Amino acid sequence: VQLQASGGGLVQTGGSLRLSCAASGSTFKLNAMNWHRQAPGKQRELVAGVSSGGSTTYADSVKGRFTISRDNAKNTVYLQMNSLKFEDTAVYYCEADWYTTSEPIEVGRSWGQGTLVTVSS
């Protein structure tokens, strides 16, 4: 399963961006889908996650500003980012757990290539 992230860019403080991450492959189902980020000189951190049933979790730093959602028909996860702050500047990575639906059954985890979000102060 391959993940393709898009939607990053340059935005001013207080602005908004919407990230997308589409999964592709053959005969698979997705479980949890997550967005992580890594700022320069910092460790990668989990930003938000959504389960296959739609339950969501958020890092405290983004609660109330970011919204994660998924479209199961399109095998896509989104991250709507509002009220962006300078400290949100990072490379954002999507990640998804999956399993195949035909024999042999396989489970795995895939990462997208990362999309850069730059918030200017």
Side-chain angles (χ1 to χ4, degrees):
V1 176
Q2 295 81 42
L3 300 182
Q4 180 69 44
S6 61
L10 175 65
V11 64
Q12 290 185 332
T13 299
S16 298
L17 280 176
R18 188 193 195 206
L19 306 183
S20 300
C21 177
S24 62
S26 58
T27 62
F28 68 95
K29 290 284 188 181
L30 296 168
N31 282 329
M33 304 182 78
N34 304 301
W35 284 98
H36 303 252
R37 68 185 180 187
Q38 187 166 19
K42 296 187 177 181
Q43 290 189 327
R44 190 173 298 189
E45 63 172 345
L46 177 64
V47 175
V50 57
S51 71
S52 56
S55 298
T56 58
T57 60
Y58 297 94
D60 287 343
S61 58
V62 306
K63 281 181 181 177
R65 300 187 299 120
F66 290 11
T67 302
I68 189 170
S69 61
R70 63 191 288 167
D71 184 333
N72 292 327
K74 296 181 179 180
N75 290 321
T76 300
V77 63
Y78 305 97
L79 186 67
Q80 177 66 44
M81 305 185 293
N82 298 328
S83 303
L84 282 161
K85 303 177 180 180
F86 176 75
E87 50 265 39
D88 294 319
T89 296
V91 177
Y92 284 70
Y93 299 90
C94 55
E95 169 251 311
D97 294 331
W98 51 266
Y99 62 95
T100 57
T101 56
S102 60
E103 296 289 344
I105 301 298
E106 299 179 23
V107 295
R109 173 171 292 173
S110 296
W111 289 82
Q113 83 285 8
T115 184
L116 177 62
V117 173
T118 304
V119 184
S120 62
S121 58

mmCIF file of all heavy atoms in Angstrom, residues 1 26-30 98-107:
data_model
loop_
_atom_site.group_PDB
_atom_site.id
_atom_site.type_symbol
_atom_site.label_atom_id
_atom_site.label_comp_id
_atom_site.label_asym_id
_atom_site.label_seq_id
_atom_site.Cartn_x
_atom_site.Cartn_y
_atom_site.Cartn_z
ATOM 1 N N VAL A 1 0.865 -1.179 0.000
ATOM 2 C CA VAL A 1 0.000 0.000 0.000
ATOM 3 C C VAL A 1 0.902 1.231 0.000
ATOM 4 O O VAL A 1 1.799 1.351 0.839
ATOM 5 C CB VAL A 1 -0.938 0.010 1.214
ATOM 6 C CG1 VAL A 1 -1.750 1.289 1.256
ATOM 7 C CG2 VAL A 1 -1.866 -1.206 1.167
ATOM 8 N N SER A 26 -3.802 -2.729 -4.112
ATOM 9 C CA SER A 26 -4.858 -3.635 -4.536
ATOM 10 C C SER A 26 -5.377 -4.419 -3.351
ATOM 11 O O SER A 26 -4.615 -4.830 -2.487
ATOM 12 C CB SER A 26 -4.346 -4.579 -5.629
ATOM 13 O OG SER A 26 -3.236 -5.319 -5.165
ATOM 14 N N THR A 27 -6.656 -4.614 -3.310
ATOM 15 C CA THR A 27 -7.369 -5.429 -2.323
ATOM 16 C C THR A 27 -6.862 -5.201 -0.909
ATOM 17 O O THR A 27 -6.261 -6.085 -0.281
ATOM 18 C CB THR A 27 -7.266 -6.921 -2.678
ATOM 19 O OG1 THR A 27 -5.899 -7.338 -2.665
ATOM 20 C CG2 THR A 27 -7.872 -7.171 -4.042
ATOM 21 N N PHE A 28 -7.110 -4.043 -0.392
ATOM 22 C CA PHE A 28 -6.701 -3.748 0.968
ATOM 23 C C PHE A 28 -7.800 -2.976 1.686
ATOM 24 O O PHE A 28 -8.680 -2.384 1.054
ATOM 25 C CB PHE A 28 -5.391 -2.940 1.001
ATOM 26 C CG PHE A 28 -5.525 -1.546 0.470
ATOM 27 C CD1 PHE A 28 -5.761 -0.486 1.342
ATOM 28 C CD2 PHE A 28 -5.419 -1.274 -0.880
ATOM 29 C CE1 PHE A 28 -5.898 0.803 0.855
ATOM 30 C CE2 PHE A 28 -5.547 0.006 -1.371
ATOM 31 C CZ PHE A 28 -5.793 1.056 -0.494
ATOM 32 N N LYS A 29 -7.705 -2.970 2.991
ATOM 33 C CA LYS A 29 -8.559 -2.154 3.841
ATOM 34 C C LYS A 29 -7.647 -1.384 4.791
ATOM 35 O O LYS A 29 -6.599 -1.877 5.201
ATOM 36 C CB LYS A 29 -9.536 -3.007 4.636
ATOM 37 C CG LYS A 29 -10.627 -3.654 3.792
ATOM 38 C CD LYS A 29 -11.689 -2.649 3.393
ATOM 39 C CE LYS A 29 -12.871 -3.360 2.730
ATOM 40 N NZ LYS A 29 -13.910 -2.389 2.316
ATOM 41 N N LEU A 30 -8.082 -0.208 5.154
ATOM 42 C CA LEU A 30 -7.297 0.627 6.052
ATOM 43 C C LEU A 30 -7.861 0.580 7.462
ATOM 44 O O LEU A 30 -9.076 0.617 7.644
ATOM 45 C CB LEU A 30 -7.281 2.067 5.547
ATOM 46 C CG LEU A 30 -6.610 2.287 4.189
ATOM 47 C CD1 LEU A 30 -6.923 3.680 3.658
ATOM 48 C CD2 LEU A 30 -5.107 2.087 4.299
ATOM 49 N N TRP A 98 -2.824 -1.109 7.523
ATOM 50 C CA TRP A 98 -3.676 -1.745 6.515
ATOM 51 C C TRP A 98 -3.581 -3.247 6.594
ATOM 52 O O TRP A 98 -2.691 -3.811 7.239
ATOM 53 C CB TRP A 98 -3.278 -1.281 5.108
ATOM 54 C CG TRP A 98 -1.819 -1.411 4.799
ATOM 55 C CD1 TRP A 98 -0.859 -0.446 4.938
ATOM 56 C CD2 TRP A 98 -1.129 -2.573 4.320
ATOM 57 N NE1 TRP A 98 0.370 -0.936 4.575
ATOM 58 C CE2 TRP A 98 0.242 -2.239 4.187
ATOM 59 C CE3 TRP A 98 -1.533 -3.860 3.996
ATOM 60 C CZ2 TRP A 98 1.188 -3.149 3.739
ATOM 61 C CZ3 TRP A 98 -0.581 -4.769 3.540
ATOM 62 C CH2 TRP A 98 0.763 -4.409 3.423
ATOM 63 N N TYR A 99 -4.525 -3.908 5.941
ATOM 64 C CA TYR A 99 -4.468 -5.344 5.763
ATOM 65 C C TYR A 99 -5.049 -5.674 4.399
ATOM 66 O O TYR A 99 -5.895 -4.947 3.885
ATOM 67 C CB TYR A 99 -5.211 -6.075 6.890
ATOM 68 C CG TYR A 99 -6.686 -5.771 6.972
ATOM 69 C CD1 TYR A 99 -7.627 -6.602 6.357
ATOM 70 C CD2 TYR A 99 -7.144 -4.654 7.672
ATOM 71 C CE1 TYR A 99 -8.978 -6.323 6.436
ATOM 72 C CE2 TYR A 99 -8.492 -4.362 7.742
ATOM 73 C CZ TYR A 99 -9.399 -5.203 7.133
ATOM 74 O OH TYR A 99 -10.743 -4.922 7.203
ATOM 75 N N THR A 100 -4.570 -6.765 3.854
ATOM 76 C CA THR A 100 -5.075 -7.181 2.549
ATOM 77 C C THR A 100 -6.348 -7.994 2.735
ATOM 78 O O THR A 100 -6.585 -8.599 3.788
ATOM 79 C CB THR A 100 -4.031 -7.996 1.789
ATOM 80 O OG1 THR A 100 -3.659 -9.132 2.584
ATOM 81 C CG2 THR A 100 -2.813 -7.150 1.480
ATOM 82 N N THR A 101 -7.171 -8.015 1.741
ATOM 83 C CA THR A 101 -8.463 -8.704 1.807
ATOM 84 C C THR A 101 -8.514 -9.941 0.928
ATOM 85 O O THR A 101 -9.572 -10.543 0.751
ATOM 86 C CB THR A 101 -9.595 -7.745 1.427
ATOM 87 O OG1 THR A 101 -9.319 -7.208 0.123
ATOM 88 C CG2 THR A 101 -9.703 -6.602 2.419
ATOM 89 N N SER A 102 -7.363 -10.305 0.367
ATOM 90 C CA SER A 102 -7.300 -11.551 -0.388
ATOM 91 C C SER A 102 -6.079 -12.328 0.073
ATOM 92 O O SER A 102 -5.132 -11.757 0.614
ATOM 93 C CB SER A 102 -7.214 -11.271 -1.894
ATOM 94 O OG SER A 102 -6.065 -10.526 -2.190
ATOM 95 N N GLU A 103 -6.119 -13.630 -0.103
ATOM 96 C CA GLU A 103 -5.018 -14.476 0.332
ATOM 97 C C GLU A 103 -3.760 -14.205 -0.493
ATOM 98 O O GLU A 103 -3.855 -14.004 -1.703
ATOM 99 C CB GLU A 103 -5.402 -15.957 0.204
ATOM 100 C CG GLU A 103 -6.553 -16.371 1.092
ATOM 101 C CD GLU A 103 -6.176 -16.416 2.567
ATOM 102 O OE1 GLU A 103 -4.958 -16.422 2.866
ATOM 103 O OE2 GLU A 103 -7.091 -16.447 3.408
ATOM 104 N N PRO A 104 -2.607 -14.198 0.111
ATOM 105 C CA PRO A 104 -2.361 -14.344 1.549
ATOM 106 C C PRO A 104 -2.648 -13.036 2.286
ATOM 107 O O PRO A 104 -2.336 -11.958 1.811
ATOM 108 C CB PRO A 104 -0.864 -14.678 1.611
ATOM 109 C CG PRO A 104 -0.291 -13.972 0.425
ATOM 110 C CD PRO A 104 -1.353 -14.042 -0.639
ATOM 111 N N ILE A 105 -3.281 -13.156 3.455
ATOM 112 C CA ILE A 105 -3.604 -11.992 4.248
ATOM 113 C C ILE A 105 -2.314 -11.406 4.815
ATOM 114 O O ILE A 105 -1.508 -12.110 5.414
ATOM 115 C CB ILE A 105 -4.563 -12.337 5.397
ATOM 116 C CG1 ILE A 105 -5.857 -12.930 4.831
ATOM 117 C CG2 ILE A 105 -4.853 -11.094 6.232
ATOM 118 C CD1 ILE A 105 -6.626 -11.997 3.930
ATOM 119 N N GLU A 106 -2.137 -10.131 4.608
ATOM 120 C CA GLU A 106 -0.983 -9.423 5.123
ATOM 121 C C GLU A 106 -1.442 -8.198 5.892
ATOM 122 O O GLU A 106 -2.503 -7.635 5.604
ATOM 123 C CB GLU A 106 -0.058 -8.987 3.986
ATOM 124 C CG GLU A 106 0.520 -10.118 3.149
ATOM 125 C CD GLU A 106 1.392 -9.596 2.032
ATOM 126 O OE1 GLU A 106 1.889 -8.465 2.147
ATOM 127 O OE2 GLU A 106 1.575 -10.315 1.033
ATOM 128 N N VAL A 107 -0.649 -7.815 6.872
ATOM 129 C CA VAL A 107 -0.884 -6.566 7.590
ATOM 130 C C VAL A 107 0.377 -5.723 7.494
ATOM 131 O O VAL A 107 1.479 -6.261 7.368
ATOM 132 C CB VAL A 107 -1.251 -6.800 9.068
ATOM 133 C CG1 VAL A 107 -2.578 -7.516 9.182
ATOM 134 C CG2 VAL A 107 -0.153 -7.576 9.784
#
